[in-house]
Amino acid sequence: MHHVATESQETAVGDLRGLSPNAQTMVRMAVLSAWAELQIARADHGYLDKVLEPHVGKLLPLWMSSLQEFARLRFEPDISNHSGPPGSDESLEAVYAALNRQTLLKFYQDAWLGLVNAIASLIEQDPQMVFDALDGKGTASQVNGSGPRTNINYRDAPVAFFMVLFGIVIEALVTRPGDDESRDILKILSALKRILLPSVAGNAIFQDSVFAETLEIFDRLALTEGLAVQTVLVDIAKTLCITHPSAGGENTATDLTEDVDQLFALAKIIVLVMTNALPNIAEAKAAPRDTLADDAVTLIRSGFKALVDISTIFPSIIKTDLYASILHIFSTVLRTPACQASVVAQVLPIFRRFILKISTDGPRSHSSTITPQITTCLHQLLAILGIAQRREHESSLVCARNTLLAISVLLSTASDAFGADEPLVFAALKATLECLQDLGLARVAAGCLRSLLLTSPKKATDEAVARCLFPRLIGFVVDPDVPDPEESRALIAPALTGFVALYADDAEKAAAAMSLVLPALLRRAKGGGRKTYRDTAVRILELAT
């Protein structure tokens, strides 16, 4: 590394001396590439810190100047393509220069991705340190001993630093697969994701021409590449949304501005990628996939989470449309047979977070649009539950269970969105109560009803839900003629005693509730026989304490 960093015209590595200029470049790039591999491995092997830290200040300018030289060789006009007979010494020199250029390019093409990843990993660790290392080093020696010297202060012009890395990465993505055998799109995209940090890219990525070209490449990759690449695209689109200059502000504009168009285009990329995994998101008549690979499950979860994460920073003019898209995607996932075993369990907590966010933090001015969307979502969930209860598919039972959980999440989280006398809410409660007598659904329904009954603190709709459920659950516990295929009464009884405990600070309400719960427990013990005595005793002790 000492010989690579010197200004000497002769590079020596061990016994290798008197190398030609091309051989010098090959050796230099091999050495720099080896150090870059060590830097990349540094994240997983802490013992490499002591090896690399003393040399980072020298390596960074060398890596950067190597990439600059690679860009110069890659993008300069190809002299060999110029027309004209090689009848003069000048033409012969041009042909030789072109051939030499192709030889040098091969050395750089084998190493550039490792150099970019090494710089990107340092940026992730400490962007300030990167600029410190590059400060005043713009006139460092050229990598191959030729080419123009640069004099760029990257701290004062961070966009120039970003553009060098960005230009090389984007050019690699637009190269046709046959043009470069070493092309690895996944690694290239991972490097791009790292250099799109605001501390490096600033707002340069959102310049009209740069953003348009980038989105065009993303569109193509989303349509042509595999699931692993599409997952990285989702992460990049999410990062660009969150770091967008207009993100997070109180943007109440009513016109479609350029910033709004860019955010919409990024969200469209995420939805497009999810559509590749689940075609029935875009077209209701499209046949859903029979099975989903692990990569597809990860992609759907990442895409749904990304949409939820960016939904709060969107300007109001398109926020409502994004909310509707998220609810539609969730409903589609919920009714897709292939999603029941693994996908729904992963997106349900994200769905709850989304509902909680839009129902509590949303501006009051949006209540006229958010409430109908949540009501429509509940209507769709009830329709999905009704279809799943027909048991037409192998996954119907799991679908019904997942839908009961989703209904419970919606009612308990977004109670503000419903009126206290909303008929659809009582229809959902009725459907859930009926599931207490359904073999395969009874215990899940009991758990959902328990959550709804014990919601605290209670708002107007929560109180209406409790008034509806409490007498019906009492009747279910005391009536031995009502079918109980999964012994759900054992789950409902603790919910009733817990309901009494909610009113510990209100003696009048607590006494009224206990006057109903205690006789119900005793009657259950009388009708259920000795097997219920122990559980009944525990419940009575709970009331006493």
Side-chain angles (χ1 to χ4, degrees), residues 343-393:
V343 179
V344 175
Q346 296 188 39
V347 302
L348 195 57
I350 304 172
F351 173 72
R352 182 185 182 279
R353 176 164 62 87
F354 169 68
I355 294 297
L356 182 64
K357 187 71 175 177
I358 67 174
S359 60
T360 58
D361 295 347
R364 295 291 101 189
S365 60
H366 293 169
S367 60
S368 60
T369 55
I370 292 176
T371 297
Q373 287 183 336
I374 294 179
T375 303
T376 301
C377 181
L378 180 57
H379 180 77
Q380 291 176 337
L381 295 183
L382 288 174
I384 294 171
L385 177 62
I387 295 173
Q389 286 179 299
R390 301 174 190 170
R391 306 291 207 276
E392 295 177 345
H393 303 283

Side-chain angles (χ1 to χ4, degrees), residues 404-443:
L404 284 173
L405 294 173
I407 290 173
S408 174
V409 166
L410 193 63
L411 291 179
S412 60
T413 307
S415 59
D416 278 348
F418 303 105
D421 56 351
E422 173 60 53
L424 199 59
V425 172
F426 296 107
L429 297 178
K430 179 183 177 182
T432 307
L433 286 166
E434 290 174 350
C435 290
L436 289 173
Q437 305 173 41
D438 192 332
L439 181 62
L441 298 179
R443 296 185 73 83

Side-chain angles (χ1 to χ4, degrees), residues 131 134-138 150-161:
F131 287 111
L134 293 174
D135 240 356
K137 301 259 197 306
T150 59
N151 190 19
I152 301 175
N153 187 328
Y154 289 110
R155 184 185 300 279
D156 296 335
V159 173
F161 172 68

Side-chain angles (χ1 to χ4, degrees), residues 130-422:
V130 173
F131 287 111
D132 287 342
L134 293 174
D135 240 356
K137 301 259 197 306
T139 58
S141 61
Q142 291 70 31
V143 177
N144 62 350
S146 62
R149 292 174 177 264
T150 59
N151 190 19
I152 301 175
N153 187 328
Y154 289 110
R155 184 185 300 279
D156 296 335
V159 173
F161 172 68
F162 166 72
M163 283 302 182
V164 172
L165 301 179
F166 179 78
I168 294 174
V169 171
I170 289 297
E171 196 275 339
L173 289 175
V174 300
T175 303
R176 293 189 300 276
D179 291 343
D180 188 359
E181 295 179 357
S182 64
R183 184 172 175 264
D184 189 329
I185 293 179
L186 189 58
K187 291 182 179 179
I188 295 172
L189 278 178
S190 298
L192 177 62
K193 177 184 174 183
R194 288 171 162 181
I195 66 175
L196 287 177
L197 296 173
S199 57
V200 179
N203 294 334
I205 185 63
F206 301 110
Q207 296 175 6
D208 292 346
S209 57
V210 177
F211 186 83
E213 182 178 354
T214 304
L215 261 290
E216 183 179 346
I217 295 171
F218 287 175
D219 281 331
R220 176 175 58 81
L221 294 176
L223 293 172
T224 60
E225 296 298 331
L227 297 177
V229 170
Q230 293 176 5
T231 302
V232 179
L233 284 178
V234 167
D235 291 339
I236 294 176
K238 171 187 169 182
T239 300
L240 290 176
C241 281
I242 294 175
T243 59
H244 196 278
S246 64
E250 294 296 327
N251 193 333
T252 57
T254 58
D255 297 326
L256 288 173
T257 63
E258 181 182 327
D259 288 346
V260 173
D261 286 340
Q262 290 184 350
L263 289 172
F264 179 80
L266 291 169
K268 183 180 175 182
I269 289 288
I270 299 175
V271 175
L272 176 62
V273 166
M274 295 187 69
T275 303
N276 293 336
L278 283 179
N280 50 330
I281 289 178
E283 298 181 16
K285 296 182 180 180
R289 302 186 189 280
D290 296 331
T291 59
L292 291 175
D294 292 341
D295 286 348
V297 172
T298 302
L299 175 61
I300 295 170
R301 180 192 177 279
S302 300
F304 190 74
K305 183 178 183 297
L307 290 175
V308 171
D309 289 342
I310 67 177
S311 63
T312 56
I313 55 94
F314 265 50
S316 57
I317 187 173
I318 57 173
K319 183 177 289 188
T320 303
D321 294 334
L322 184 58
Y323 289 170
S325 298
I326 292 172
L327 293 173
H328 167 71
I329 290 173
F330 178 76
S331 298
T332 302
V333 169
L334 192 60
R335 67 171 177 263
T336 301
C339 295
Q340 303 305 318
S342 54
V343 179
V344 175
Q346 296 188 39
V347 302
L348 195 57
I350 304 172
F351 173 72
R352 182 185 182 279
R353 176 164 62 87
F354 169 68
I355 294 297
L356 182 64
K357 187 71 175 177
I358 67 174
S359 60
T360 58
D361 295 347
R364 295 291 101 189
S365 60
H366 293 169
S367 60
S368 60
T369 55
I370 292 176
T371 297
Q373 287 183 336
I374 294 179
T375 303
T376 301
C377 181
L378 180 57
H379 180 77
Q380 291 176 337
L381 295 183
L382 288 174
I384 294 171
L385 177 62
I387 295 173
Q389 286 179 299
R390 301 174 190 170
R391 306 291 207 276
E392 295 177 345
H393 303 283
E394 293 181 0
S395 61
S396 293
L397 181 60
V398 182
C399 178
R401 291 173 181 169
N402 289 333
T403 307
L404 284 173
L405 294 173
I407 290 173
S408 174
V409 166
L410 193 63
L411 291 179
S412 60
T413 307
S415 59
D416 278 348
F418 303 105
D421 56 351
E422 173 60 53

Side-chain angles (χ1 to χ4, degrees), residues 29-45 47-48 51-52 59 63 109-119 121-122 125 187 194:
M29 294 310 301
V31 171
L32 292 177
S33 181
W35 280 99
E37 292 298 328
L38 288 177
Q39 171 58 36
I40 296 170
R42 183 180 180 182
D44 299 323
H45 305 285
Y47 60 84
L48 291 176
V51 177
L52 285 160
L59 287 169
W63 288 336
Q109 285 170 340
D110 292 340
W112 75 267
L113 186 55
L115 302 187
V116 171
N117 276 313
I119 295 174
S121 65
L122 284 171
Q125 294 174 16
K187 291 182 179 179
R194 288 171 162 181

Side-chain angles (χ1 to χ4, degrees), residues 473-474 476-480 484 487-494 496 517-537 539:
L473 294 178
I474 290 283
F476 176 73
V477 167
V478 303
D479 189 353
D484 186 13
E487 298 184 357
S488 306
R489 291 187 178 94
L491 298 177
I492 298 299
L496 294 175
V517 173
L518 185 57
L521 294 175
L522 295 173
R523 186 169 177 180
R524 176 184 175 236
K526 181 179 180 180
R530 299 184 63 86
K531 64 180 181 180
T532 62
Y533 287 176
R534 181 178 180 83
D535 183 65
T536 301
R539 304 284 83 82

